[in-house]
Amino acid sequence: FAVDCRQAKVMGQRGGIEWTGVTWNPVTGCTPHSAGCANCYARPIALRLQADGQPNYRNGFAVTCHPHLVEQPLHWRRPRLVFVCSMADLFHDEVPEAHIRAIFEVMRRADQHVYQVLTKRAERLAALAPSLPWPAHIWAGVTVERNDTAYRADLLRQVPAARRWLSCEPLLGRLTELDLTGIDWVAAGGESGPRCRPMDLDWARWLRDACAEAGTAYFLKQLGGWPDKRGGERAVLDGRRHAARPMPVPTRQLALPGLDFDD
């Protein structure tokens, strides 16, 4: 992901994540969990914000809950597409279950928004999912960066969400073991940053074709690289931009301004 290090990502701001609207961070901080974490975009941002004296990052990139931010979406009157915990993993073992439940209760209540929940801790997501609310405006997602994490999609299928999605970023290999059954959306992209690992365009092509066969919306966020991540209008694969999103389940979220949910 490419985000502005000067922005306090706990404050529900717009950033450089093309497939969302705003970020909401009632939790910050994380620890490495799989290969996709090697060049984590969030850690250097958190450490810089800590050095700048940003109070929400007083603990740097250590897992920290922010109860004072849990109710933030209730105060946003205009509907938004919200990426939940862009600077953390909501289902990290160090996040208390009570805090997760409080976040879900606010999402349930603030139903003018669509929420994109994403985790690498698919096991904990699947374990807690039956006891969490999953109205149509809360989407459940997991990260799948290469074949050894494709099992997370199997766990995601256990989640009773109306929309299930995958983040395949950074895409680190051809996902030949990935089953897209029951997956509504795939957002993929190459890695950026000074130590980025290159993405073979054939990996992105394979995923594009697999999505087409499965009827899954495909969003190619960026081709990756440094200093140019080749995102936005430059994320072209075989002469075409791919920026599809799944149609929301029929609710008032269909009126979200500025969002195109077609291919």
PDB file of all heavy atoms in Angstrom, residues 5 40 48 65 89 106 114 159 183 187 191 194 209 220 236:
ATOM      1  N   CYS A   5       2.770   9.180   5.018  1.00  0.00           N
ATOM      2  CA  CYS A   5       3.283   8.962   6.371  1.00  0.00           C
ATOM      3  C   CYS A   5       2.938  10.111   7.303  1.00  0.00           C
ATOM      4  O   CYS A   5       3.015   9.963   8.526  1.00  0.00           O
ATOM      5  CB  CYS A   5       4.804   8.774   6.330  1.00  0.00           C
ATOM      6  SG  CYS A   5       5.337   7.321   5.420  1.00  0.00           S
ATOM      7  N   CYS A  40       6.362  -4.790   5.608  1.00  0.00           N
ATOM      8  CA  CYS A  40       5.103  -4.174   6.049  1.00  0.00           C
ATOM      9  C   CYS A  40       5.123  -2.657   5.850  1.00  0.00           C
ATOM     10  O   CYS A  40       6.046  -1.965   6.316  1.00  0.00           O
ATOM     11  CB  CYS A  40       4.872  -4.502   7.519  1.00  0.00           C
ATOM     12  SG  CYS A  40       3.418  -3.709   8.233  1.00  0.00           S
ATOM     13  N   ARG A  48       7.357   6.440  12.534  1.00  0.00           N
ATOM     14  CA  ARG A  48       7.539   7.857  12.240  1.00  0.00           C
ATOM     15  C   ARG A  48       6.538   8.703  13.005  1.00  0.00           C
ATOM     16  O   ARG A  48       6.876   9.768  13.539  1.00  0.00           O
ATOM     17  CB  ARG A  48       7.399   8.099  10.738  1.00  0.00           C
ATOM     18  CG  ARG A  48       7.628   9.561  10.338  1.00  0.00           C
ATOM     19  CD  ARG A  48       7.670   9.732   8.828  1.00  0.00           C
ATOM     20  NE  ARG A  48       8.760   8.963   8.246  1.00  0.00           N
ATOM     21  CZ  ARG A  48       9.078   8.982   6.949  1.00  0.00           C
ATOM     22  NH1 ARG A  48       8.345   9.712   6.117  1.00  0.00           N
ATOM     23  NH2 ARG A  48      10.067   8.259   6.491  1.00  0.00           N
ATOM     24  N   CYS A  65      -4.946  -0.839  21.481  1.00  0.00           N
ATOM     25  CA  CYS A  65      -6.363  -0.576  21.257  1.00  0.00           C
ATOM     26  C   CYS A  65      -6.669   0.883  21.574  1.00  0.00           C
ATOM     27  O   CYS A  65      -6.090   1.460  22.492  1.00  0.00           O
ATOM     28  CB  CYS A  65      -7.223  -1.489  22.129  1.00  0.00           C
ATOM     29  SG  CYS A  65      -7.049  -3.242  21.729  1.00  0.00           S
ATOM     30  N   ASP A  89      -4.023  -5.479  12.548  1.00  0.00           N
ATOM     31  CA  ASP A  89      -4.838  -6.644  12.203  1.00  0.00           C
ATOM     32  C   ASP A  89      -5.854  -6.802  13.321  1.00  0.00           C
ATOM     33  O   ASP A  89      -5.505  -7.097  14.466  1.00  0.00           O
ATOM     34  CB  ASP A  89      -3.970  -7.904  12.083  1.00  0.00           C
ATOM     35  CG  ASP A  89      -4.738  -9.087  11.501  1.00  0.00           C
ATOM     36  OD1 ASP A  89      -5.930  -9.242  11.826  1.00  0.00           O
ATOM     37  OD2 ASP A  89      -4.141  -9.865  10.752  1.00  0.00           O
ATOM     38  N   VAL A 106     -20.434  -1.239  16.737  1.00  0.00           N
ATOM     39  CA  VAL A 106     -20.497   0.076  16.108  1.00  0.00           C
ATOM     40  C   VAL A 106     -20.732  -0.058  14.603  1.00  0.00           C
ATOM     41  O   VAL A 106     -21.529   0.686  14.021  1.00  0.00           O
ATOM     42  CB  VAL A 106     -19.216   0.880  16.404  1.00  0.00           C
ATOM     43  CG1 VAL A 106     -19.107   2.102  15.495  1.00  0.00           C
ATOM     44  CG2 VAL A 106     -19.190   1.309  17.858  1.00  0.00           C
ATOM     45  N   VAL A 114     -20.248   1.132   4.378  1.00  0.00           N
ATOM     46  CA  VAL A 114     -19.827  -0.232   4.060  1.00  0.00           C
ATOM     47  C   VAL A 114     -18.439  -0.422   4.667  1.00  0.00           C
ATOM     48  O   VAL A 114     -17.557   0.436   4.492  1.00  0.00           O
ATOM     49  CB  VAL A 114     -19.781  -0.475   2.544  1.00  0.00           C
ATOM     50  CG1 VAL A 114     -19.126  -1.810   2.228  1.00  0.00           C
ATOM     51  CG2 VAL A 114     -21.187  -0.432   1.954  1.00  0.00           C
ATOM     52  N   VAL A 159     -17.223 -17.893   7.226  1.00  0.00           N
ATOM     53  CA  VAL A 159     -17.743 -16.653   7.806  1.00  0.00           C
ATOM     54  C   VAL A 159     -19.086 -16.316   7.152  1.00  0.00           C
ATOM     55  O   VAL A 159     -19.176 -16.242   5.923  1.00  0.00           O
ATOM     56  CB  VAL A 159     -16.747 -15.497   7.593  1.00  0.00           C
ATOM     57  CG1 VAL A 159     -17.303 -14.193   8.170  1.00  0.00           C
ATOM     58  CG2 VAL A 159     -15.399 -15.839   8.237  1.00  0.00           C
ATOM     59  N   ILE A 183     -16.157 -16.449  -3.152  1.00  0.00           N
ATOM     60  CA  ILE A 183     -15.399 -15.210  -2.981  1.00  0.00           C
ATOM     61  C   ILE A 183     -15.938 -14.185  -3.971  1.00  0.00           C
ATOM     62  O   ILE A 183     -15.979 -14.426  -5.178  1.00  0.00           O
ATOM     63  CB  ILE A 183     -13.889 -15.438  -3.219  1.00  0.00           C
ATOM     64  CG1 ILE A 183     -13.360 -16.543  -2.294  1.00  0.00           C
ATOM     65  CG2 ILE A 183     -13.136 -14.135  -3.013  1.00  0.00           C
ATOM     66  CD1 ILE A 183     -13.529 -16.280  -0.818  1.00  0.00           C
ATOM     67  N   ALA A 187      -8.826  -8.080  -4.567  1.00  0.00           N
ATOM     68  CA  ALA A 187      -8.025  -6.879  -4.790  1.00  0.00           C
ATOM     69  C   ALA A 187      -6.561  -7.305  -4.755  1.00  0.00           C
ATOM     70  O   ALA A 187      -6.091  -7.829  -3.743  1.00  0.00           O
ATOM     71  CB  ALA A 187      -8.313  -5.830  -3.720  1.00  0.00           C
ATOM     72  N   GLU A 191       4.118  -5.379  -4.795  1.00  0.00           N
ATOM     73  CA  GLU A 191       4.671  -4.724  -3.616  1.00  0.00           C
ATOM     74  C   GLU A 191       5.365  -3.430  -4.002  1.00  0.00           C
ATOM     75  O   GLU A 191       5.944  -3.310  -5.086  1.00  0.00           O
ATOM     76  CB  GLU A 191       5.664  -5.668  -2.930  1.00  0.00           C
ATOM     77  CG  GLU A 191       6.074  -5.237  -1.532  1.00  0.00           C
ATOM     78  CD  GLU A 191       6.810  -6.345  -0.784  1.00  0.00           C
ATOM     79  OE1 GLU A 191       7.710  -6.970  -1.385  1.00  0.00           O
ATOM     80  OE2 GLU A 191       6.481  -6.584   0.388  1.00  0.00           O
ATOM     81  N   PRO A 194      11.131   0.491  -0.851  1.00  0.00           N
ATOM     82  CA  PRO A 194      12.528   0.331  -1.283  1.00  0.00           C
ATOM     83  C   PRO A 194      13.036  -1.103  -1.307  1.00  0.00           C
ATOM     84  O   PRO A 194      14.022  -1.386  -1.981  1.00  0.00           O
ATOM     85  CB  PRO A 194      13.316   1.183  -0.275  1.00  0.00           C
ATOM     86  CG  PRO A 194      12.412   1.337   0.906  1.00  0.00           C
ATOM     87  CD  PRO A 194      11.022   1.317   0.366  1.00  0.00           C
ATOM     88  N   ASP A 209      -7.704 -14.229 -14.759  1.00  0.00           N
ATOM     89  CA  ASP A 209      -8.446 -15.254 -15.492  1.00  0.00           C
ATOM     90  C   ASP A 209      -9.218 -16.170 -14.545  1.00  0.00           C
ATOM     91  O   ASP A 209     -10.340 -16.587 -14.845  1.00  0.00           O
ATOM     92  CB  ASP A 209      -7.490 -16.072 -16.357  1.00  0.00           C
ATOM     93  CG  ASP A 209      -6.830 -15.235 -17.455  1.00  0.00           C
ATOM     94  OD1 ASP A 209      -7.319 -14.117 -17.720  1.00  0.00           O
ATOM     95  OD2 ASP A 209      -5.813 -15.698 -18.021  1.00  0.00           O
ATOM     96  N   LEU A 220      -7.141  -4.734  -9.808  1.00  0.00           N
ATOM     97  CA  LEU A 220      -5.674  -4.699  -9.809  1.00  0.00           C
ATOM     98  C   LEU A 220      -5.239  -3.305  -9.382  1.00  0.00           C
ATOM     99  O   LEU A 220      -5.332  -2.346 -10.136  1.00  0.00           O
ATOM    100  CB  LEU A 220      -5.128  -5.037 -11.197  1.00  0.00           C
ATOM    101  CG  LEU A 220      -3.597  -5.083 -11.309  1.00  0.00           C
ATOM    102  CD1 LEU A 220      -3.006  -6.140 -10.371  1.00  0.00           C
ATOM    103  CD2 LEU A 220      -3.179  -5.360 -12.759  1.00  0.00           C
ATOM    104  N   VAL A 236      -2.038  -1.151 -15.591  1.00  0.00           N
ATOM    105  CA  VAL A 236      -2.639  -1.675 -16.814  1.00  0.00           C
ATOM    106  C   VAL A 236      -2.084  -3.072 -17.090  1.00  0.00           C
ATOM    107  O   VAL A 236      -0.873  -3.292 -17.074  1.00  0.00           O
ATOM    108  CB  VAL A 236      -2.352  -0.746 -18.008  1.00  0.00           C
ATOM    109  CG1 VAL A 236      -2.869  -1.352 -19.306  1.00  0.00           C
ATOM    110  CG2 VAL A 236      -2.974   0.626 -17.755  1.00  0.00           C
TER     111      VAL A 236
END
